[in-house]
Amino acid sequence: MQRLIVWSLAGLILVPAAWAGGDKKNGNDKVFKIEGTLAKDDPADKLRKNPHKVHEYKMKAGANYVIDMITKNAQELDPYLRLEDSAGKNLAEDDDGGGFPNARIIFKAPKDDTYRIIATAFKGVGDYTLTVRVASEAQSILEQLKESLGTKQKELFKQFPAAKTEEARQKITDRFYELTADSLLPLSEFAQKYADDPAAKEAKNMVRNNLRQLEQSDSPGVGKVLRTLREKGPKEMHGQVSLALSQNLRSQYERSYQRKDKDAGKLLKEIEDLLKHVGENHADLASQVKDVQFTLKNLTVGRPAMEIEAEDLDTKTFKLSDYRGKVVVIDFWGHW
Amino acid sequence: MYPHERSLVKRLENSPFALIGVNSDQDREKLKKTLEDEKITWRSFWNGPKGTGGPISAAWHVQSWPTIYVLDGDGVIRYRNVRGEAMDRAVDELLKELEAKKK
């Protein structure tokens, strides 16, 4: 009897919550789910030109929605999603964002509207499951982090065509990388705080990918952020951050070597110590550490070039060192 | 790339300078026509039949083409991935340095 009361109480609480969303079918805290089929004779989508079906869905201004289109048979249907407002304006599209071959759109509704979800195909036809759910709190926060980074970087992109000198362009590139670097600490803090939410995994992947991007930057600003992240960021990232920092410092070292700075040697020592430390403390990164150490020794400004001995295009063998005493440009090229 | 390299090689034909390619085409025979058409007179190592997967680019960790290194007269790497005018400036500076050493 007691159990029955508990159940009915739960029912009482749950039912109004489902209604609160307005439209019963679109109850905002429920997952909206449709089993659909794309057939060859479905009308062609105006943009994608493949068969499509339209699913209308009411969204509330400011809320984040996750729309998934999952194929039932990856051999037959590679799904593709588009999203339009009620007036038919294309707002978002995606091919493999849900993990190949499934499509996912994460969308923040700018206004209350009945949106048109276009379920179509990158390739093929067949059965699919379409779900729409309100993003979790964590997912929404992650979307905000992504959006704020994206907006700032887009603004920078707009300045690029106006930058006339190499210096001006370099400044924009540096700033771009610095913004990426700035995002790392909030992202990794987020991943720690919401460790149980699937969004944490996405945030971690972003951190990893962004770190890899930053390896290409020689901006001292990026180096500074990486140093902070190394001190304050999560322990599990320590090794990756140190590796990225060593790459960044390597480029900085090359610049200072070219300027004939007195402190160039100090920088080099710092990189060597850093790599040694990572090698000793992160067994999983051993091969990457070795790579950077090799690069530092053999492929870095200030180091003697490695010997090359091979045939030329007329099958005659020669050596790079045959050209000692001359200034040499080595150009790795191909005609393709 | 070719026109700029051609003019660099031409401009410095009487200087202690060499442009050395490392070519990553798989087929050396087919390339002969390209050398002729594009007037590529400078010498290249051949990266072997595996093309971009060949031993020289692997030893040098080359991941994108073209990749450029500029060496001084002692065979020391002094610049990486300089293109266009920046490449000319780098070469000119190193030639000046070489000249100063001889004196």
Side-chain angles (χ1 to χ4, degrees):
Chain A
M1 190 63 191
Q2 206 168 7
R3 185 172 292 171
L4 196 71
I5 292 167
V6 172
W7 275 116
S8 57
L9 269 177
L12 276 176
I13 296 161
L14 277 176
V15 171
W19 279 342
D23 187 331
K24 198 173 176 184
K25 198 169 81 180
N26 288 16
N28 267 348
D29 45 6
K30 277 204 305 193
V31 175
F32 170 76
K33 183 172 174 183
I34 280 182
E35 305 288 348
T37 304
L38 280 179
K40 276 201 180 81
D41 52 2
D42 278 329
D45 174 44
K46 64 181 179 194
L47 296 183
R48 193 70 229 161
K49 312 287 182 215
N50 284 328
H52 81 292
K53 285 218 161 67
V54 180
H55 303 285
E56 294 194 333
Y57 189 83
K58 273 185 191 158
M59 295 189 194
K60 293 213 167 295
N64 285 286
Y65 296 86
V66 183
I67 308 165
D68 281 296
M69 181 180 177
I70 298 157
T71 182
K72 292 257 166 133
N73 184 342
Q75 310 295 323
E76 288 173 4
L77 172 66
D78 179 351
Y80 195 98
L81 272 176
R82 286 206 307 113
L83 185 68
E84 293 178 348
D85 63 14
S86 56
K89 185 181 167 212
N90 190 40
L91 300 172
E93 51 193 297
D94 182 72
D95 178 18
D96 292 329
F100 178 82
N102 297 319
R104 167 178 290 177
I105 289 176
I106 299 173
F107 180 72
K108 185 178 181 181
K111 58 177 182 195
D112 287 359
D113 195 5
T114 301
Y115 290 85
R116 293 161 49 83
I117 299 165
I118 317 289
T120 178
F122 180 79
K123 219 172 70 188
V125 288
D127 296 334
Y128 61 88
T129 305
L130 181 92
T131 62
V132 187
R133 59 191 162 81
V134 176
S136 65
E137 182 199 349
Q139 188 72 51
S140 300
I141 292 170
L142 181 60
E143 290 311 309
Q144 275 169 23
L145 287 174
K146 280 157 69 177
E147 196 183 314
S148 101
L149 175 64
T151 312
K152 286 180 202 154
Q153 293 190 327
K154 256 185 231 156
E155 282 303 311
L156 266 178
F157 266 134
K158 282 188 204 150
Q159 295 172 19
F160 214 83
K164 293 290 177 248
T165 63
E166 212 165 300
E167 283 74 25
R169 282 192 288 272
Q170 187 59 48
K171 225 174 175 179
I172 296 176
T173 311
D174 284 354
R175 185 74 197 114
F176 184 88
Y177 282 126
E178 282 161 28
L179 283 172
T180 307
D182 284 339
S183 75
L184 292 175
L185 194 57
L187 277 174
S188 50
E189 282 170 354
F190 168 88
Q192 273 182 316
K193 187 171 170 196
Y194 294 97
D196 297 333
D197 193 283
K201 199 176 151 199
E202 189 186 343
K204 276 188 198 164
N205 282 337
M206 282 183 71
V207 169
R208 212 168 299 134
N209 292 337
N210 288 352
L211 275 175
R212 217 164 288 151
Q213 258 191 40
L214 291 179
E215 288 175 357
Q216 295 160 28
S217 166
D218 61 353
S219 148
V222 169
K224 212 170 134 194
V225 179
L226 288 175
R227 273 187 227 265
T228 312
L229 192 62
R230 200 168 164 263
E231 282 162 32
K232 297 190 181 154
K235 272 217 179 80
E236 55 177 279
M237 277 174 50
H238 199 266
Q240 283 292 344
V241 174
S242 303
L243 265 181
L245 179 60
S246 72
Q247 304 265 32
N248 172 274
L249 292 179
R250 169 184 171 241
S251 306
Q252 285 194 50
Y253 161 72
E254 292 187 311
R255 295 284 168 275
S256 74
Y257 179 93
Q258 282 160 345
R259 286 194 305 260
K260 300 186 168 63
D261 283 353
K262 290 194 305 288
D263 289 344
K266 234 192 251 170
L267 206 47
L268 185 62
K269 178 80 171 58
E270 187 186 349
I271 307 170
E272 284 165 350
D273 291 347
L274 191 62
L275 287 169
K276 196 167 157 242
H277 186 260
V278 182
E280 284 167 357
N281 292 284
H282 301 270
D284 54 319
L285 297 174
S287 78
Q288 288 173 64
V289 169
K290 272 205 183 115
D291 268 3
V292 185
Q293 282 170 333
F294 178 89
T295 302
L296 201 59
K297 185 169 170 236
N298 297 301
L299 297 166
T300 297
V301 165
R303 300 295 308 168
M306 291 181 287
E307 178 67 298
I308 304 176
E309 184 172 359
E311 287 182 6
D312 66 11
L313 298 174
D314 293 318
T315 72
K316 207 175 155 222
T317 299
F318 73 115
K319 289 187 203 166
L320 183 59
S321 58
D322 295 343
Y323 291 81
R324 208 47 49 82
K326 289 183 178 180
V327 174
V328 174
V329 169
I330 306 176
D331 175 8
F332 288 84
W333 70 287
H335 190 77
W336 50 70
Chain B
M1 274 310 263
Y2 303 135
H4 177 252
E5 290 176 331
R6 266 200 308 267
S7 65
L8 182 70
V9 169
K10 179 90 182 100
R11 179 168 71 85
L12 297 175
E13 63 184 346
N14 295 316
S15 303
F17 168 77
L19 174 59
I20 307 274
V22 178
N23 175 270
S24 288
D25 282 279
Q26 292 185 326
D27 191 335
R28 265 194 288 200
E29 281 309 306
K30 264 198 211 157
L31 198 62
K32 287 199 169 141
K33 193 173 154 13
T34 308
L35 297 181
E36 237 168 74
D37 292 350
E38 301 285 350
K39 300 187 186 65
I40 297 170
T41 54
W42 52 93
R43 202 170 188 187
S44 282
F45 290 105
W46 186 48
N47 201 21
K50 284 185 191 155
T52 53
I56 309 174
S57 61
W60 286 64
H61 290 203
V62 175
Q63 279 156 357
S64 62
W65 280 260
T67 285
I68 309 272
Y69 285 90
V70 185
L71 317 184
D72 65 17
D74 298 324
V76 172
I77 299 169
R78 298 293 294 273
Y79 292 89
R80 288 192 295 126
N81 288 332
V82 279
R83 305 262 152 87
E85 279 173 36
M87 187 202 281
D88 291 356
R89 276 201 301 272
V91 170
D92 288 343
E93 185 205 307
L94 294 177
L95 282 172
K96 230 185 268 169
E97 199 180 291
L98 199 63
E99 192 61 32
K101 258 191 186 172
K102 276 185 193 158
K103 279 176 190 166

